[in-house]
Amino acid sequence: MKSNKINNLGLAALVASTFTFSYNINAEVKTIAIDGSSTVYPITEAVAEDFQKKTGTKVTVGVSGTGGGFKKFCRGETMISNASRPISKKEMDMCAESGITYIELPIAYDALTLVTNKGNDWAKSMTVAELNKIWDSGSSVKNWKDVNPAWPNQPMKLFGPGADSGTFDYFTEAINGRAKKSRSDYTASEDDNVLVTGVSGDKGGLGYFGLAYYLENKDKLNAVAVVAKGKTEAVLPSETTVMDGTYQPLARPLFIYVNGTKGAFDKDVKAFVEYYIANAPKLVKEVKYVPLNTSEYAAVNKHWQGKKAGSGFNGTAEVGLKIEDLIKRIKD
Amino acid sequence: MEQNKVDAEHSLIKPQTLEEVRTMIRTHKRNDFIFSSIGLLTITFALLTLLILFVDLVMDGYPKLNYQFFTDFPSRRAANAGILSAWVGSSLIMLVTFITAVPMGVAAGVYLEEYAPKNWFTDIVEINVTNLAGVPSIIYGLLALGLFVYTFHLGQTIVTAGLTLGLLMLPIVIVSTREAIRSIPVAIREAAYAVGATKWQVVLHHVIQYSFGGILTGIIIGMARALGETAPIITVGALTFIAFLPPAPVTSVAPFISFEWLQSGFTVLPIQMFSWLSRPEHAFHINAAAAGAVIIMLTLVMNGTAIWLRYRIRKNIKW
C-alpha cells in the first residue's frame, strides 16, 4: 500500500516537471516592466500603485540599482528604467549596440543632506571647500578642529553610502570635482537607516544621504546648511530651497528613462508615462521627495510628447544643470 | 615506559580497590554533570537568542500582524501595505522547488548509495555533492542567471526562481537521503534478498520505506533554507513592487490546469521585508518586523512538521 503511494507521488512529480519544461515560454504577458534605482523606487512605486488601480494595467518595479537597471533596459528587458544619475557613456554604448533608444525624463529632485549628531552645536553650516577638505580622497581630517579652528576638539566620525550608489557618485562629483573621488576610510552602508543610526549615536558624527531620511529622523539628527561656491549665504535643504534652486550644489534631479524604440509607441507605456508626469507633483511630495516646478514639468511633458531620444548629459554627470537647459540640449 | 602506559590504562578499566572504584565513579559523575551543564547552558543561550529575536519582531510588528496584512498588496502607504504578492510568490516558488529538487535529489541519493559502483568517478561525484551543500547561495544565483535566464530563456519568472532554489536544495536532499539510507541495518536488505526480492523491490519496499523519515527531514530543512534565501533570487531578477497575483493554476475551462503562473514575475517574503527595512518611514519598519515574524513562523512550522513526521514514521517502522 505504502509503496504505491510513494510510487504515485514520484510519477506525479515527474509528469509535473515535464510540463514545466515543455510549457511554451514565449507566451505574451502584458506587463509594464520597470527596474533600476532604489532612490527613485518609492516615486515609481507610488505611480505604479495608483496607475494599476485606475487602469488595471499590470506594472512591476524592481530594485537593481541605477547601473543594474540600465543593463536590463539596454537588453530590452524593461520598458522604463529608474535612474538617480544620468545614463553613462558605457551604458549609452550598450544601448546603442542593441539598438535601443531612450527618452530621458527628469521627474523629481532629491536633496543630498549632510547630517550631524543632535549634540553637535558648532557645525550649523559648512562651505563646499570645508566639505571637500573632509571628503576628498587622501583627506587626513580626523577631528572637527582640523576643518575649522573655531570648532571644538572632537574626533570626527564619517558615514556615507557605498561606492555603488548613485548618491555617492553625485556627492563626490559635486564636492570633490569628480565622480567616485572620495576618501574611503568612512563607515559605508547601502542602507541609509544604518547611517542614521551611526550619526545619531556619535557626537562627532557626520554623514550624507537623501533628504527623505533626514525628514523622517529630524528628532535624532541636525541638517547642515551648505554654502555654495562663490556664495556667502548658508542654505538648509528643504522643498523651497531645492525648488527655487538656492540649495546648491547638492540638489540633484532623478530620472526615468523610457524605451524610445518600442515603449514610447506602446499604448500602455504611453498611458503610464503620461500618468507619471501628470501625477508627479502630488505623488513625489507624498513620498517625501522634492517635485520639479510646474513650468519644469510642463517642459518635461512637452519633451515626452516630442519623443526625442537621447541624453542631455552625453555620458558625463554634471552638477547644477537646469531642467529646461537639459531638455533644450537634447532637442538640439 | 610502555609498561607504565598499559598499567595506567588498566587502572582506569580495572581499579584495584573498592576505594578506587568509588573515586572513579565520583569523577565520572562529576564530569557528566559538568558536560551536561555546559550543554544545557549552550542550548539555553541559543534558544534564548532565537526567542528574544522572535519576540522582539512580534512585538515590533504586532500592529500589522492581522488578516489584512496577508491579503494586501504592497503600497506606498505603510498602513495599507501587505505581503499578499510576497507570500504567494514564496509559496509558488517553493512548489516548483519541491517538484524539481525532491524527485531528482532522492533518486540521486538512492542511486549513489544502492546502485553506483564504488570507483573514482563516484568518489568525485560524492566529494562534489558534499561540497555543493556548502557553496554560498549567490553562486547558485549566478549560475541560474547564466543557465536559466540567458541560455534557456526562461525569463525572470517563478519557474526560474523555483529551479534556482531547487539547485540550491538538491545537495541537501541528496546528502540527507544517503545518510538516511545508511542508517538501515544491512540485515534488512539481506533478509529481503534471502526471500527472493529483486534489487528494485528491496529499494522500493524497504530502503525507501525505512529511510523515508530521514529523507523527509532533509527535504523540509532544505525547503526552510530555500524559503529564507534572498541573494540567488535577487540575482535571477526578483521584483520589489508587484501588485497582482500570478494567473491561477486552476482554471474553469478545460484542461482546468494552467501553467501560466510559471511565467509570472514574482517577489518573495525576504525581499519584501528588506525593501521595507530600507525605507525612511518608521511605519515601514513595523511592516518589515511583521514580515520577519511571518518568515520565522513559517520556518518554525516547517521544521516542526519535519520533526513530527519523522516521529510518526519512525513509530510505524517495525523491524
Side-chain angles (χ1 to χ4, degrees), chain A residues 49 52 61 75 193 213 286, chain B residues 75-76 150 241 243 277-278:
Chain A
E49 186 186 353
Q52 189 171 306
V61 191
R75 275 198 300 261
N193 288 311
Y213 289 86
E286 210 182 308
Chain B
S75 163
R76 67 173 179 282
Y150 293 137
F241 176 80
L277 204 62
S278 61

Side-chain angles (χ1 to χ4, degrees), chain A residues 105-177:
Chain A
L105 301 171
I107 37 91
Y109 286 116
D110 183 22
L112 301 190
T113 305
L114 281 137
V115 292
T116 56
N117 189 273
K118 265 283 171 225
N120 182 326
D121 53 7
W122 57 91
K124 293 292 175 204
S125 79
M126 288 166 115
T127 65
V128 170
E130 280 168 343
L131 287 171
N132 174 261
K133 196 173 171 189
I134 297 169
W135 287 99
D136 208 354
S137 58
S139 160
S140 57
V141 172
K142 287 202 165 60
N143 197 305
W144 285 88
K145 75 171 166 35
D146 297 343
V147 185
N148 186 332
W151 291 343
N153 179 6
Q154 169 79 38
M156 185 183 267
K157 190 95 200 299
L158 294 172
F159 297 86
D164 287 332
S165 102
T167 310
F168 175 78
D169 286 357
Y170 193 88
F171 184 85
T172 46
E173 172 90 38
I175 299 298
N176 300 334

Side-chain angles (χ1 to χ4, degrees), chain B residues 180-201:
Chain B
I181 289 175
R182 271 182 214 158
S183 68
I184 301 169
V186 185
I188 299 285
R189 285 193 189 87
E190 285 171 349
Y193 285 129
V195 294
T198 62
K199 188 155 196 176
W200 174 239
Q201 284 171 323

Side-chain angles (χ1 to χ4, degrees), chain B residues 218-238:
Chain B
I219 291 170
I220 295 178
I221 287 170
M223 296 276 283
R225 182 186 166 191
L227 181 74
E229 277 298 343
T230 334
I233 294 287
I234 287 185
T235 319
V236 298

Side-chain angles (χ1 to χ4, degrees), chain A residues 24-317:
Chain A
N24 172 20
I25 51 154
N26 293 319
E28 195 69 41
V29 186
K30 260 265 166 200
T31 308
I32 301 176
I34 307 174
D35 209 319
S37 160
S38 59
T39 311
V40 187
Y41 172 77
I43 307 173
T44 303
E45 182 201 42
V47 177
E49 186 186 353
D50 283 8
F51 181 74
Q52 189 171 306
K53 255 183 213 147
K54 199 169 147 262
T55 63
T57 311
K58 290 172 179 176
V59 187
T60 63
V61 191
V63 178
S64 306
T66 303
F70 274 128
K71 270 189 197 130
K72 289 185 180 177
F73 180 80
C74 291
R75 275 198 300 261
E77 288 167 16
T78 54
M79 277 296 121
I80 297 172
S81 209
N82 293 330
S84 64
R85 57 159 172 80
I87 188 166
S88 74
K89 192 84 198 120
K90 224 171 98 195
E91 288 154 355
M92 289 167 77
D93 293 343
M94 203 156 61
C95 271
E97 219 167 272
S98 49
I100 283 168
T101 62
Y102 37 85
I103 299 168
E104 185 175 68
L105 301 171
I107 37 91
Y109 286 116
D110 183 22
L112 301 190
T113 305
L114 281 137
V115 292
T116 56
N117 189 273
K118 265 283 171 225
N120 182 326
D121 53 7
W122 57 91
K124 293 292 175 204
S125 79
M126 288 166 115
T127 65
V128 170
E130 280 168 343
L131 287 171
N132 174 261
K133 196 173 171 189
I134 297 169
W135 287 99
D136 208 354
S137 58
S139 160
S140 57
V141 172
K142 287 202 165 60
N143 197 305
W144 285 88
K145 75 171 166 35
D146 297 343
V147 185
N148 186 332
W151 291 343
N153 179 6
Q154 169 79 38
M156 185 183 267
K157 190 95 200 299
L158 294 172
F159 297 86
D164 287 332
S165 102
T167 310
F168 175 78
D169 286 357
Y170 193 88
F171 184 85
T172 46
E173 172 90 38
I175 299 298
N176 300 334
R178 188 154 51 82
K180 296 203 188 294
K181 182 170 178 265
S182 167
R183 72 191 287 176
S184 52
D185 55 339
Y186 64 90
T187 308
S189 172
E190 299 296 345
D191 183 352
D192 293 336
N193 288 311
V194 172
L195 305 179
V196 169
T197 314
V199 177
S200 62
D202 194 313
K203 201 183 173 201
L206 174 71
Y208 65 91
F209 39 70
L211 180 64
Y213 289 86
Y214 164 68
L215 293 178
E216 278 298 321
N217 295 288
K218 265 182 168 171
D219 52 330
K220 287 184 241 166
L221 301 167
N222 288 331
V224 179
V226 176
V227 185
K229 251 181 210 147
K231 296 269 171 65
T232 49
E233 193 191 351
V235 183
L236 270 170
S238 74
E239 199 185 301
T240 334
T241 57
V242 171
M243 283 176 85
D244 65 16
T246 50
Y247 184 67
Q248 287 293 347
L250 291 174
R252 59 165 172 174
L254 303 174
F255 306 90
I256 56 170
Y257 283 76
V258 186
N259 182 316
T261 330
K262 264 196 314 195
F265 302 99
D266 180 276
K267 181 169 89 2
D268 294 324
V269 176
K270 239 165 85 178
F272 179 78
V273 176
E274 260 143 43
Y275 189 87
Y276 204 128
I277 298 170
N279 291 279
K282 185 186 92 193
L283 293 175
V284 165
K285 252 190 205 175
E286 210 182 308
V287 294
K288 303 223 163 55
Y289 285 84
V290 181
L292 312 180
N293 296 319
T294 324
S295 63
E296 286 171 331
Y297 275 121
V300 170
N301 189 39
K302 220 172 134 204
H303 173 50
W304 162 248
Q305 299 298 345
K307 302 221 168 27
K308 175 85 179 144
S311 168
F313 293 91
N314 204 21
T316 43

